[in-house]
Amino acid sequence: MSGYIFGAFYDITWRIPAGKVATYGQIARLAGMPRCARIVGYAMAACQDPSVPCHRVVDRFGGTKRCFDVYAPGTQRALLEAEGVPFTPDGRVDLPACLWDGKLY
């Protein structure tokens, strides 16, 4: 079952454009599973497909996660900054500036 559910989350994550981010809860809501934000986190951490931009998914406060720092500490932040995603002085993604609108084109 996780394969199908995780796949639904990955399908949505593929649609997040460069320079934008989504939250775990937002992905869960778009997948029709509004109470499954934690499962979205598990899916992103377990993803083995490098074409899925899992680094564009952050927590509800704009926080990055160590599970995406596969190359070195700060990898997720570096990937996001390379796409133009702004960060606040306390190290979180500036959600008002770059939160994806969730449109599934």
Side-chain angles (χ1 to χ4, degrees):
M1 181 140 140
S2 67
Y4 171 77
I5 293 171
F6 283 16
F9 298 149
Y10 299 151
D11 287 343
I12 294 166
T13 303
W14 270 311
R15 293 177 171 91
I16 305 168
K20 297 289 184 180
V21 298
T23 65
Y24 297 109
Q26 182 181 8
I27 300 295
R29 284 190 303 279
L30 289 169
M33 298 175 246
R35 300 183 57 83
C36 294
R38 186 171 297 210
I39 296 171
V40 173
Y42 296 147
M44 297 301 121
C47 185
Q48 298 296 311
D49 184 347
S51 72
V52 180
C54 296
H55 66 282
R56 294 181 186 149
V57 184
V58 297
D59 70 25
R60 65 186 172 144
F61 302 112
T64 59
K65 301 298 174 201
R66 282 191 271 167
C67 66
F68 297 112
D69 293 344
V70 294
Y71 301 109
T75 300
Q76 184 180 15
R77 180 178 175 142
L79 290 169
L80 292 171
E81 286 179 328
E83 295 179 355
V85 172
F87 281 76
T88 62
D90 65 355
R92 293 180 289 155
V93 169
D94 185 355
L95 289 176
C98 63
L99 187 64
W100 177 46
D101 63 13
K103 291 184 181 174
L104 302 175
Y105 304 107

